[in-house]
Every structure is written in structure tokens, then in C-alpha cells.
Amino acid sequence: MNPKRVPPTPILNNLESIGDPFKRKDFSTAAFFSHGKPPKGSQIDYEYTLKFLYSYNGSSATFNAYRREIERFLQWCWRIEGRSLLLMRREDIEDYIRFCISPPQAWIGTKSTPRFLTVNDKLVVNDEWRPFVVKVRKERFREGISPEKKDHLLSQSAMKAIFTALSSFYDYLTQEQLLDANPVSLIRQKSKFLIKTQNIDVVRRVSNLQWEYVIDTTERMANEDPEKHERTLFIMNCLYAMYLRISELVDDERSTPIMSDFKRDHANHWWFYVTGKGNKSRKIAVCDEMIEALKRYRKSRGLTLLPTPNDQSPLLPKFKGKGAITSTRQIRDIVQYCFDTTFERMKEDGLEEDASDLRTATVHWLRHTGISEDVKIRPREHVRDDAGHNSMQTTDRYIESDEHERHASGKAKPIKETF
């Protein structure tokens, strides 16, 4: 049967199911091939794939991103090419990229689903899983528009993710002396696939008017239902005022945010300590208004106004059960509710057009908005350090050029000299 016409069986499960591959002896791949034999060398592929992914057990985001890309690549190597990934050369990688640009319809899904399901305490393959997924923007979904397989489009960011993951993987295989060279690095003209842009990427953020409405609406929600929404208000303040990423607010394998992460130094300055992207720790200067927001939040929880150095209370506790929030999806839902409520309020005030961006806004826009506003009034290096940017170049993306001034300077330029 043509493998392009059959949805592939998933290969790579989550970290918990994988376990420690360095303590494992059996790497048989027969279970992934209900029809036919596995390609020669697939056991070695599988062994070193698991070992490579396991090295990212301290970062679920990186693990999931690399698992997605390497899963697709393994599927292509084994099912389409019928060869071990160790046999792939530069031209094969280029063929794979073209495959990702236009995958077979049978390999495309219209919703994100887990690879495996637990049925009667047994792990079984999820027949609805697909390596590629088509999605529609959330405002189009609200309008009743469903994703269609024919609309699959590989974005530039997705293309970069493929190159990044495969290059890292092949670097690892080279270091393990399974290969002499990294075939991805041998691709001389990645520009065939990757488009270089100049100042085209727009920092996605909410406008000042939208933010004023959002925070005012959230404050109203907290006043009307403090038991439910004082936490909501605190979350919104954290995302905007401290530029936090959503992953930096939840309890995960990197850290558990607690109240004593707010620390006061000998000069009476408050800092917030966080473990962020790439397991990098940083401290964030906490502004006076954020301290007031912290006091209000702690008061609503029956705590002292400010945390002590040994305060182990979770920063964002669950409403049901014990411990801290562990799901980024829960944070997304909370923020989305604020955006949706604000949109309706602005619409009632005759500002529907001004509010339209809130229909597409995401949690990360609040971080972008806070950074974009602060680079106008704070030294760039201070914003860079608080945001956890690796370079000033990243921070500079948030400096909005005055397009009116830019256009004015170009509008009157002469093409020929006049006398």
C-alpha cells in the first residue's frame, strides 16, 4: 500500500512513557510497522532519537518542539524513503523539506490530538493523530470556519524550526560518532527555503487604548467577584508589568513560582526571581505599581501584604485541589476571557473597530506590550535584562520607528536635480 495514502502510526510518546533510554536495552521498532518490516538500521535510529530527546527532560517546551520535528522526519525516513536517518545526505534533507511544504493529505489533520490514548489502563495508538495539522485563526473559528487539509501552509517560522531541530539532532549524532558530518549544515543555499526579511516582522501587541480597557475591565471583574478574579487581575499585571512568559507563571519541571520569589534587597528594592526560557534564571526589577498589585492580591488571599523570605505559598494556586497552577492552557483561558469581555465592553462603547485586535490577541501580546512601552522610557539594557533577551538586537525589535517621519523624509526626495 502506498504510504502516502495511509496515516502513519505515531512513534514518540511523552517523557513519562519514554523513561530513561540510557537504562533501556530493547529498541525494537517492529511495533510501529503492522504491515511489512522496519527498515534496516531503524533500531539505532530509535535508540539515539530517544537519547537525544531525553537530554531535554528539563524543558518540556524544547522537548515537545524537537519531538514534533524529529517524529515527522522519522516518519518520512522510514515510511516514505524506507531507509535509516543515518543514510540521509544533504539532497535527502532538501527532499524532506519539500515534502513538509506539501505533505500527503493522509498525513494532515485538522485538529491537534495526542499521539497515544490510555484505554483500560493500556496505552493505545490514537487513530486521529497526524504529523501535520491545519488550524484556523481563532476569530475565523468563532465565525464557524473550519480548517481544511487543502489549506496546509508551512510558515517561515515552521521552516526554521525544522532546520533548527534537525541540525541539533544531526550534531548530536555526529558527536556520538555515528556520522562524519551533519548533512543539514552542508545545505549551502538554505535561502531556497528561508526568506530573509528586513523589519517585516511586526511585534504583536495591544494598543494603549486596548490595554487601558483590558486592565480596567479586569479590575471591575475583580471588584465584582474577588474570589475568582483577584487572581485574574494579578496574572494580567504580571504579564504586562514584568514581561513574564506564560510558562514562567506555572509550576513545571523548571521551577514552582512561589511568593518568596519576590525579594527585597538591602536598598529596599524589590525584585522578582524567575527561571525562564532555556532554564535561564533572571531577576526582574519590580515597579511600585506592581508592588501595590501584589499587596492587593495577597490581601485577597488572607496573607500579609508583602511576602517574607520563607513564604512558600504558590504564586498562583489552584482553585480546586492543592498546589500551584500547572497548565499554561488554564492561564490562556483566563487571559482570553479578559480579552473577550473587554471586546464586548469596547463594542458597547462604540469602539468595535478599535477593539478588533483583541479577537486575535494572545497571552504573549501582553509581554510584548509591556516591553514596547518600557523601551520608550527606560534604558534599553535594563529592559533587555528584565525581559531575559539574549541580545540587544531582540530588544531593539520593540522600538517602534516613527513611520510618519520616515515617510515624510522620503516623500520629498528628488529623482532628478532641478534648476
Side-chain angles (χ1 to χ4, degrees), residues 248-264:
E248 294 169 349
L249 280 172
V250 299
D251 178 6
D252 61 14
E253 69 280 351
R254 293 181 306 191
S255 66
T256 301
I258 56 177
M259 281 295 181
S260 58
D261 288 336
F262 283 97
K263 302 180 188 295
R264 180 162 43 187

Side-chain angles (χ1 to χ4, degrees), residues 193-221:
F193 306 105
L194 298 175
I195 300 172
K196 293 183 178 180
T197 61
Q198 179 184 1
N199 297 329
I200 293 178
D201 290 337
V202 177
V203 173
R204 306 290 282 175
R205 54 158 294 175
V206 298
S207 69
N208 290 341
L209 176 63
Q210 290 164 350
W211 169 246
E212 288 173 9
Y213 262 88
V214 166
I215 196 63
D216 183 69
T217 300
T218 310
E219 286 177 353
R220 292 187 183 193
M221 289 160 50

Side-chain angles (χ1 to χ4, degrees), residues 22 29 76 79 95 174 182 190 197 256 292 352 379 383 410:
F22 292 94
T29 57
W76 179 80
R79 304 189 193 283
D95 286 343
T174 304
N182 179 344
K190 293 185 178 68
T197 61
T256 301
E292 292 305 311
E352 182 174 358
V383 176

